[in-house]
Amino acid sequence: MDAASNAFRDSLLAGQSAVAAGRQAWVNRLRAEALERANALAVPTVRDEDWRFTDLSPLYRVAFRAADTYVPQAAQLAPWIVPEAGARLVFVDGRFAPSLSALPTADTPLFAAPLATGIERHGPVVEARLGQIAGFQQDLFVALNTAYLQDGAMLVAAAHQKVAEPVHVLFVSTQKDVAVHPRVLVIAESGAELTLVEDYVTLHDGAYCVNAVTEITVAPNALVHHVKLQRDSKAAYHVATGTVRLERDGRYRSNSIALGARISRQNLNVVQAGPNTECHLDGLALIAGRQLADTHSFIDHALPHGTSRQLHKCVAGGGAHAVFNGRVLVRPDAQQTDSAQQNRNLLLSDKAHVDTKPQLEIFADDVKCAHGATVGQLEAEEVFYLRSRGLDDTAARNLLTYAFAADIVNRIPLPSLAAQLRATVLEQTGAKELA
Amino acid sequence: MSAVLQNLIDQPYKHGFVTDIESDTVARGLNEDVIRLISHKKNEPDWLLDFRLQAYRHWLTMSEPAWPNVHYPKIDFQAISYYSAPKPKKKLASMDEVDPELLRTFEKLGVPMHEQAALAGVAVDVIFDSVSVTTTYKKKLADVGVIFCSFSEAVQEHPELVRKYLGSVVPPADNFYAALNSAVFTDGSFCFIPKGVKCPMELSTYFRINTQESGQFERTLIVAEEGASVSYLEGCTAPQFDTNQLHAAVVELVALDRADIKYSTVQNWYAGDANGVGGIYNFVTKRGLCKGESSRISWTQVETGSAITWKYPSCVLLGDNSVGEFYSVALTNHKQQADTGTKMVHVGKNTRSTIISKGISAGESNNSYRGLVKIGPKAEGARNFSQCDSMLIGDRCGANTFPYIEVKNNTAKVEHEATTSKIGEDQLFYFASRGIGNEEAVSMIINGFVKDVFTQLPMEFAVEAGRLLGLKLEGSVG
C-alpha cells in the first residue's frame, strides 16, 4: 500500500465522529474486528482486478470531516416522498431523523426501525445476521462501514405476512466533505413478502462519500423486492455493497437505478443458499459528464434448481464511463441451474466509454447458462424510421434513448416512483419536449 | 456417465514414445553465460545476442503472472535445460543424410520429411527439441520468392529481415514468458512472403519435444508483404514423461497492406496421465499485427493436449479496414487445465473481428475462455462479434468465461454471447429413436458443436483434428 492510499483511509477514519461503545458487547466486538480488518486491508487501486476500471484516486484526495448536526425541513424532502410507502425512515448525513420519519405502528406485521432499536428488540436475530451476510474480511469498504456502524435501518417482515406497502428508507446528504456509512438490514421471515425502497438523495451539489452496506436475508418461501435509487450529487462518491442470502424457495427482485455521483460503485451479491431459489436483477446506469458508474454483480448458485435473470443497461453520454462486471458462479452441486444475463450498453457520445465483463464460471454439467453483452450506439435504421415519421434527428435519438432506459424503470413495481423516474430519465435523455 | 463415453475419453496418448538419439544438451540452469552459449552455438550476430541479454535482464525484474485460472506448482526455471539438439553427424547436404532414428521418429508421427512422400502441397519445417531438423520444398518456394526456413537459418541468411521484424509485434518485455523466450529461444520457423505473392502451398511446422528436462522455446515469425497471402499450419507432440515440461513459444505475424495470413494450430502436446501426472505446460504468446490497411489475420486453433494450456492468440488491428479472426476448439479431459482465448485490439477505422470459441470439458478438467475486445478511441465503425460456447461432459469439470469488453468509441458495435450446455438426455434419446447409438450420437453432436471452427481448418488438418477430438473424447459420454 502506498502512502497516498494510507492517507485516504486515515482521512476517512479521522472524519468520523467517535462512535460510543454500545450496550451490547457483541456489537462492540464486531466493530472492533471490522476496524482491525479495515486497518489491515489495502485501499483498492486499478491494479486490483476488481477495481481495474474504477480509479478511486479522486476520492482519496477529499479531506473528510465529521458531520454537523442539521435537520432539514420536511418540505425540503417533499420531492422524494413516495406516497405508496407504508413506513418511512429518514437518515440525514447518516443519522436517523425521527421527526422526518414515519414508523409503522406496533400492531403491523412489519417491524421497521433504526438499527439501535432493532438490536435492543431483536438482539439474537440481529447478532446472527448483522455483519455475517456481507463479510468484511476482504472488503475495505464493508469493513469501514461495519467499524462505524452507528445508525441504520432494520426491517423485519413477520412469518407468512405479506407487507403490501413498501418501506422507504431515505438517506439525505445535506453537507459536503462528509463520509457516511449507512447500513440496512432486512429480514424476511419464512413466507413473508416485503418491498424495500433504498433511496440516496442530496440537498446540495458538493462532494461527499456514501459507503453503504445492505444485508438482506430471505427465509424459505419469502420474497423481497428491493428498489435501490442512487440520486447522489454529481460530485459525490457512492460505494455500496448489497448482499442477499436466499434460502429454499426464496425469491429476490431488485431494481437498481444509478443516476448520480461522480464515481459510483455498486456491488450486488446474491447467494442462493437453498434449493429452488430465484433472483431477478435489473439495473440501469444513466450517466453523463464525467461520471463513472461501476456495477459489480455476483450471483452464487450454490444449490440445485436455482434461477437467475439479470438485465443491466448503461447509457453513457458526455465523457462518462460505465463499468459492468457480472459474475455468475454455478457450484458443483447446483444442478438444474437456469441463469441468463444480459448487459446492454449505449454510448451517446464519442468521449463516453464502457468496460464490460460478463463472467460465467460453471462447475455443474446439467445447467442452462447464457450471457450476452452488447455495446453500441443507436441503430441507424431505428432513427431513420422515426425520422420518416416526422421527428427530427435529435428528437428521434432522444426518444430511442428514453425507451432504452425506461425499459428498466418500468419494471419498478411502485407506480409513483416509476413515474417520477421516467420524468428524470426524460429530462436526462433530452426527450422531455416529446412528452 | 455411460461406459461408452468413459471409453471415449480414456484413449491413450499415441505419441508418447521417446526417441533414443544422442543429443547435445546444455546443463540445466539459466544465466547470461547460458544465453551467450546458445547464441554462440548458433553463430549469431551481436545484435541478436544483445536482444537476448536485454530480454533476460528485463525478465529478471519481472514476476511470474498469477492471474490465470490455472493451478500448477511453481516452476523452477533453473531446473530446465535451455538447449537440446540432436547431435549433428556433419552438415547435412540432403534429406538422405538425416539421422535415420530421427526419420523413423517423424515417420511414426506421420510427419512427412521426404518431399516425395509428403502430403501433396505442404511444405514442412520439422523442429526437434530446440532445433530445426529439416525444411521441405524450400527450392520450390524460393522460385516464387517465398522464404521458408528455420529461424537460425534466417538469422544467418536474411539477418536484415529478421532484425527488422523480430520483437516488433511481441516486444521482449511484453510479458514474463515472452521475455524468457526472447532470452533463450533456440529455433523456430521463419516465413517471408514478398509483395503480391500468394504462397503456392500450405506451410507447416512440426514441433516435437524429446528430452525430459528440456524446455522448448521456439520463435515463429511470419511476414506477409503488401498483397501477399499464406496459410500456415503448426502441429506439436511430445513423449510421455512423468515430469512437466515447459513450452514457452512466441509467434509473431506481420501483415502489411492487403496481406492475408491464416495460422492454424493443432496442439496435441502430451497432456499428462489420467491423474494429472506429467504433461506439457503450454505458455505461449501469439500475436498478429494487421499493420497495413485491409490486411487480415486469422487464427484457428484446436487445443487438445498439454497439461495446462495458457495462451491468447491475438490480433492488433492497426490498419484501417483490417480484419481479425479467431476460431478455437479447446478440449480438456482428466485433469487438464486450459485458460485460453484471444485479444482483439481495434485501433484503425472500420476494423472488424470475429471470435468463435468452443470449449469442451470432460473428466475433472477446467476450461476457461478469457478474451479481450478493445475498441480504441479512433476505431470509428469498428465491429466485433464474439460467441463462446461451452459444453460440459460429466459433473466434475468446469467451464468458465471471462470476456473483457472495453469500448472507447461510440460508433463501434460489439456483441458477445456465451452459452453453456451439456449433451442432453433428450438429444441422445432422439438419436436413439433414429437408430443411432450413444457413441455415434455423441460424436455427431460434438462434431456439430465444433463445426464452425473445423470448417476454418485446411482440409488435411480438419480431418486430423476431427479424428483427434474423437480419440480424446472416446468413452466420455453416456
Side-chain angles (χ1 to χ4, degrees), chain B residues 130-182:
Chain B
S130 303
V131 295
S132 171
V133 187
T134 179
T135 311
T136 59
Y137 285 115
K138 251 160 102 177
K139 188 164 174 315
K140 197 171 165 198
L141 289 169
D143 288 345
V144 291
V146 173
I147 301 169
F148 180 48
C149 60
S150 73
F151 206 91
S152 332
E153 218 176 308
V155 169
Q156 304 302 328
E157 286 166 27
H158 310 281
E160 67 303 332
L161 283 175
V162 176
R163 194 172 182 177
K164 183 168 171 194
Y165 291 107
L166 181 69
S168 69
V169 185
V170 181
D174 187 77
N175 66 62
F176 185 80
Y177 289 101
L180 178 63
N181 175 287
S182 301

Side-chain angles (χ1 to χ4, degrees), chain A residues 103 130 141 197 267 271 285 287 293 327 432:
Chain A
L103 298 183
L130 190 69
F141 290 97
V197 179
N267 298 316
V271 182
I287 48 172
R327 181 168 172 223
K432 203 176 177 188

Side-chain angles (χ1 to χ4, degrees), chain A residues 173-234:
Chain A
S173 167
T174 68
Q175 42 200 301
K176 57 183 222 165
D177 300 336
V178 166
V180 294
H181 302 277
R183 186 96 179 187
V184 179
L185 175 65
V186 177
I187 300 168
E189 293 180 354
S190 68
E193 286 189 24
L194 171 74
T195 302
L196 157 74
V197 179
E198 185 187 346
D199 199 355
Y200 296 85
V201 299
T202 177
L203 293 175
H204 64 104
D205 299 328
Y208 56 95
C209 176
V210 175
N211 173 29
V213 174
T214 302
E215 293 175 292
I216 298 177
T217 60
V218 182
N221 213 24
L223 166 67
V224 171
H225 206 130
H226 181 192
V227 179
K228 192 202 158 190
L229 304 174
Q230 185 266 103
R231 310 190 256 191
D232 282 311
S233 92
K234 298 278 194 283

Side-chain angles (χ1 to χ4, degrees), chain B residues 104-326:
Chain B
R104 270 198 292 281
T105 303
F106 284 96
E107 250 158 50
K108 263 203 226 170
L109 294 169
V111 178
M113 286 172 81
H114 286 290
E115 292 186 6
Q116 63 271 30
L119 284 167
V122 181
V124 185
D125 182 23
V126 177
I127 303 206
F128 192 82
D129 279 339
S130 303
V131 295
S132 171
V133 187
T134 179
T135 311
T136 59
Y137 285 115
K138 251 160 102 177
K139 188 164 174 315
K140 197 171 165 198
L141 289 169
D143 288 345
V144 291
V146 173
I147 301 169
F148 180 48
C149 60
S150 73
F151 206 91
S152 332
E153 218 176 308
V155 169
Q156 304 302 328
E157 286 166 27
H158 310 281
E160 67 303 332
L161 283 175
V162 176
R163 194 172 182 177
K164 183 168 171 194
Y165 291 107
L166 181 69
S168 69
V169 185
V170 181
D174 187 77
N175 66 62
F176 185 80
Y177 289 101
L180 178 63
N181 175 287
S182 301
V184 301
F185 72 89
T186 42
D187 215 332
S189 297
F190 175 77
C191 172
F192 178 82
I193 325 291
K195 213 168 175 169
V197 172
K198 303 246 173 290
C199 188
M201 60 178 77
E202 309 262 358
L203 303 184
S204 164
T205 301
Y206 198 90
F207 295 101
R208 171 89 181 161
I209 294 180
N210 194 55
T211 318
Q212 182 158 8
E213 68 272 22
S214 79
Q216 183 154 351
F217 304 91
E218 86 274 357
R219 191 134 191 146
T220 304
L221 176 57
I222 300 177
V223 180
E225 281 199 328
E226 289 85 348
S229 82
V230 61
S231 167
Y232 181 90
L233 320 169
E234 174 197 85
C236 1
T237 57
Q240 232 160 316
F241 291 122
D242 53 7
T243 52
N244 299 100
Q245 286 93 47
L246 177 64
H247 173 245
V250 171
V251 176
E252 295 177 284
L253 313 182
V254 182
L256 302 184
D257 289 356
R258 297 174 307 287
D260 184 347
I261 301 175
K262 188 176 169 65
Y263 193 104
S264 316
T265 309
V266 174
Q267 185 261 102
N268 188 23
W269 294 116
Y270 178 54
D273 66 9
N275 300 315
V277 176
I280 304 281
Y281 292 160
N282 193 28
F283 299 166
V284 177
T285 308
K286 289 182 168 178
R287 195 174 303 152
L289 175 63
C290 285
K291 205 170 178 182
E293 52 96 8
S294 305
S295 51
R296 175 170 169 262
I297 288 178
S298 172
W299 298 99
T300 307
Q301 60 170 20
V302 178
E303 301 284 326
T304 61
S306 298
I308 301 176
T309 300
W310 176 18
K311 65 172 193 176
Y312 312 97
S314 314
C315 295
V316 179
L317 305 170
L318 193 62
D320 292 349
N321 307 317
S322 56
V323 177
E325 290 169 358
F326 176 75

Side-chain angles (χ1 to χ4, degrees), chain A residues 371-382:
Chain A
H371 68 199
T374 57
V375 182
Q377 55 181 350
L378 296 168
E379 285 290 340
E381 287 90 348
E382 292 171 2

